[in-house]
Amino acid sequence: MAKRNLIDITDLTTGEIDELIATAEDIIDSPAKYAHVCDGKQLATLFFEPSTRTRLSFESAMLGLGGQTLGFSAANSSSTAKGETVVDTVHTVSCYADIIAMRHPKEGAPFAAAQRSEVPIINAGDGGHNHPTQTLTDLLTIHREKGKLCDFTIGFCGDLKFGRTVHSLTSALSRETGIHFVFISPEELKLPDYLKENVLNKNGIPFEETASLEAVMPKLDVLYMTRVQKERFFNEADYIRLKDTYVLTPEKLVPAKKDLTILHPLPRVNEISVAVDDDPRAAYFRQVRNGKFIRMALIMKLLDLKA
Ligand code: NCD
């Protein structure tokens, strides 16, 4: 099989994504069936940027498949600190591991690394650009909460400019039918023009932009909250001014639909009050759990392994 990478969510067809979701759901139902699929295989996690869920869910996924893991979780503990290029680091690790998940602050770094890697590369987040495995997690969660990936209204709220999870999920959902997009952000943090032009307008997909979460809350089926991405701001004063623009509270949810699904890729800072956690519509910790299972399905796919 030719080497497959996952750099952008559109590297997978919608049919392949449906298959990954079906596999993840089977893993959830029958984990024992998958416990030895990756015996003798190694996953490397190369994280040049901080992470809790993404790195640990990859590691937990590989362990759940019977494989092993190696890697680093900070750029300063690798030869990057000596001046090695990311392409050389990944080329090196691809001599040891069977598959690599990497996160990097520079947009395009996983794509560049994939050109020299001997083994599949998974983009675990590149700067403010893309985060395709979070999108797979989000899609599995929507599928489990709503029973479908079509015909609903989704509101993305918060930092839509730097939020890479928003970019990848918008791109993925633009290939499904009957999705109505509502982008809720302050003026400074609106969805980048390249996504509006190349993904939404180009495909004739309707969307609206607003600064008011209250105004659109009653019509949403899915609400995707995001953190203001402090590390991507050039100036601290702007971050401080914008960070608490939206704080979801039980009061703000009063006019929302009874079957709303509330998602957040996490980590949350202040944008969802902990009082919302007990609301049955809060799906963000179920979303965390789903991240492991969809990554198990993805590792199997890229290594061409079956249960
Ligand atoms: C997201 C990320 O890293 O982009 N986190 C994650 O992977 N679950 C979202 C964020 O950091 O705000």
Side-chain angles (χ1 to χ4, degrees), residues 53-54 103 124 131 134 164-165 227 229 231 264-267:
R53 276 149 294 271
T54 304
R103 167 172 288 187
H131 193 346
Q134 181 63 45
R164 56 194 174 193
T165 66
R227 166 181 79 91
Q229 306 278 299
E231 65 275 36
H264 190 310
L266 302 182

Side-chain angles (χ1 to χ4, degrees), residues 6-18 20-21 129-143 148-152 154 156 163-181 183 191 194-196 198-200 203 205 224 263 294:
L6 177 60
I7 306 298
D8 186 289
I9 192 65
T10 57
D11 292 342
L12 295 166
T13 65
T14 52
E16 286 176 320
I17 290 176
D18 292 344
L20 288 174
I21 290 174
H129 190 212
N130 282 324
H131 193 346
T133 64
Q134 181 63 45
T135 296
L136 292 175
T137 303
D138 302 339
L139 295 172
L140 172 61
T141 307
I142 294 170
H143 191 260
K148 60 181 183 181
L149 288 181
C150 56
D151 302 317
F152 58 80
I154 181 167
F156 288 93
R164 56 194 174 193
T165 66
V166 172
H167 305 162
S168 292
L169 184 55
T170 296
S171 177
L173 288 175
S174 72
R175 300 191 294 176
E176 306 291 339
T177 54
I179 307 292
H180 185 73
F181 292 86
F183 296 106
L191 192 76
Y194 79 88
L195 282 162
K196 284 185 228 164
N198 303 344
V199 174
L200 299 167
N203 295 304
I205 296 166
Y224 195 98
L263 301 178
I294 199 76

Side-chain angles (χ1 to χ4, degrees), residues 225 246-251 253 262 264 266-285:
M225 294 297 294
Y246 304 102
V247 180
L248 188 64
T249 58
E251 296 69 47
L253 283 166
I262 307 166
H264 190 310
L266 302 182
R268 103 177 109 185
V269 182
N270 205 24
E271 57 282 351
I272 302 183
S273 140
V274 289
V276 174
D277 295 2
D278 294 329
D279 189 310
R281 295 170 291 186
Y284 32 91
F285 284 103

